[in-house]
Amino acid sequence: MHYSKRKIGCLLVVMVGALGVFNGCGNNLGIEFSGGGPGKIKTVSLPAPKAPSQVSGIGEAMAAGQDILLFRPARKESALPDDERNYYFIGKLMESYAPRVRVIELTTSVSYPQGDYFADILDHFYANGYGVIKKEAGGYKLYKVKFGYSENYDAFVVPIQRNLEKMLGPSLYDKSKLISPVSRFEAYNKAMREGRNLIICNFAGACGSFPPAEQVALRQKIQAAFSGEAEILELDYTAYTDPATELYSTCRNMVSVYNGRTKRISPALFSGRDTLATIRQLLDAK
């Protein structure tokens, strides 16, 4: 078993930030963690509003005949810090439809005035999903989809983009344009520029399964053994658009080795295996 971030992780629940909260009658929207495969689009008819909603500009957008994109992503129970990267890109995907579409991220708990039309929307909206409100044939339709969680970008974000383009047409979202051409980590830049090997360490979310003292000891051993033939990088997983994080995301092991000759990145930290010997083997690969 290799020490992926998932294998040794501790539980982490992350709530989404508010874009609009109003005083009045509170409503607990409930928690439904992301899970399963990509959701399918379902369509329901919404009742006509008796009065404009006061929540996050919904009323103004409906009055203007503007499509509304609502999304409320609940995190998977066992999600680790670096899994937030997928949600970062999902947010950018949603934002790419503004200002043509009114884009609203909902919190897991929203307060709103008694009798607000938002309550009618919630009667049909998933606790963990996204949807589009459109005015059609004099009435309103909600096209809604559940999120399907995955650690893999292509399995998580790409299906969402496909669904959104079915509902709203082509987006301006392009992940590749969000990735910086130059890393904030000089070790990565030097390795790519000079064709050198690169060892990436990322212990975020390791918790008690890999104590800090053991992390420090391993980093020191790696530094002593391989600093002469590889650049060594301690990755900050919050650098979502950094090319070093992009490279790391294809491996997701606490110690990953990029071979400058083969241009491949591989996991190096396995349970019951000599990590330094594994790194040696990966650096010598041709």
Side-chain angles (χ1 to χ4, degrees):
M1 178 181 70
H2 78 76
Y3 274 79
S4 70
K5 310 305 285 305
R6 176 67 47 224
K7 293 291 186 183
I8 65 164
C10 60
L11 297 182
L12 175 68
V13 178
V14 185
M15 301 303 180
V16 246
L19 292 187
V21 178
F22 294 81
N23 293 325
C25 177
N27 179 61
N28 189 339
L29 305 186
I31 299 295
E32 180 181 339
F33 291 107
S34 298
K40 296 181 179 180
I41 301 172
K42 295 186 178 181
T43 308
V44 295
S45 295
L46 294 175
K50 297 176 182 177
S53 172
Q54 297 182 42
V55 176
S56 300
I58 291 175
E60 294 94 323
M62 293 182 75
Q66 188 178 25
D67 291 341
I68 302 170
L69 171 56
L70 302 172
F71 64 107
R72 182 170 56 199
R75 275 55 171 170
K76 190 178 181 182
E77 292 177 274
S78 55
L80 291 171
D82 53 332
D83 290 321
E84 279 297 298
R85 187 166 178 271
N86 273 336
Y87 288 105
Y88 170 85
F89 287 116
I90 288 170
K92 291 298 182 183
L93 169 60
M94 302 293 185
E95 291 170 10
S96 71
Y97 280 99
R100 176 173 63 86
V101 174
R102 184 60 184 249
V103 181
I104 301 170
E105 181 177 2
L106 302 174
T107 63
T108 51
S109 181
V110 176
S111 294
Y112 54 89
Q114 182 76 35
D116 192 278
Y117 181 67
F118 185 61
D120 293 322
I121 297 172
L122 290 184
D123 285 342
H124 304 279
F125 198 79
Y126 292 126
N128 170 45
Y130 55 103
V132 174
I133 298 174
K134 288 176 171 281
K135 188 172 185 179
E136 296 182 355
Y140 292 96
K141 291 287 183 66
L142 171 64
Y143 297 80
K144 60 178 183 176
V145 190
K146 282 187 177 182
F147 279 112
Y149 181 84
S150 174
E151 296 172 8
N152 180 276
Y153 175 93
D154 289 337
F156 195 3
V157 184
V158 172
I160 297 172
Q161 182 172 4
R162 289 173 181 160
N163 280 337
L164 287 176
E165 293 189 342
K166 290 177 184 176
M167 296 185 283
L168 294 170
S171 73
L172 298 177
Y173 173 79
D174 184 347
K175 177 194 174 188
S176 65
K177 292 181 179 179
L178 295 174
I179 305 300
S180 303
V182 178
S183 174
R184 61 189 277 191
F185 307 105
E186 184 51 36
Y188 172 89
N189 292 329
K190 185 175 182 180
M192 297 302 115
R193 185 172 60 246
E194 301 178 6
R196 285 176 56 79
N197 300 317
L198 176 68
I199 301 173
I200 301 177
C201 299
N202 179 18
F203 298 106
C207 297
S209 298
F210 198 48
E214 293 184 23
Q215 298 173 28
V216 171
L218 179 57
R219 280 195 298 265
Q220 291 174 341
K221 290 178 181 178
I222 291 173
Q223 185 74 31
F226 303 110
S227 60
E229 58 183 305
E231 298 299 317
I232 301 171
L233 166 61
E234 182 76 23
L235 186 71
D236 176 2
Y237 69 89
T238 62
Y240 299 133
T241 61
D242 196 284
T245 308
E246 185 74 1
L247 176 64
Y248 165 78
S249 70
T250 64
C251 186
R252 291 176 57 88
N253 185 266
M254 286 193 294
V255 179
S256 303
V257 175
Y258 173 80
N259 185 307
R261 291 184 301 276
T262 65
K263 311 299 182 186
R264 292 198 301 266
I265 186 168
S266 307
L269 186 59
F270 293 82
S271 176
R273 192 182 301 182
D274 186 331
T275 301
L276 297 187
T278 302
I279 294 175
R280 175 78 276 153
Q281 180 181 6
L282 294 173
L283 292 177
D284 290 343
K286 297 179 181 179

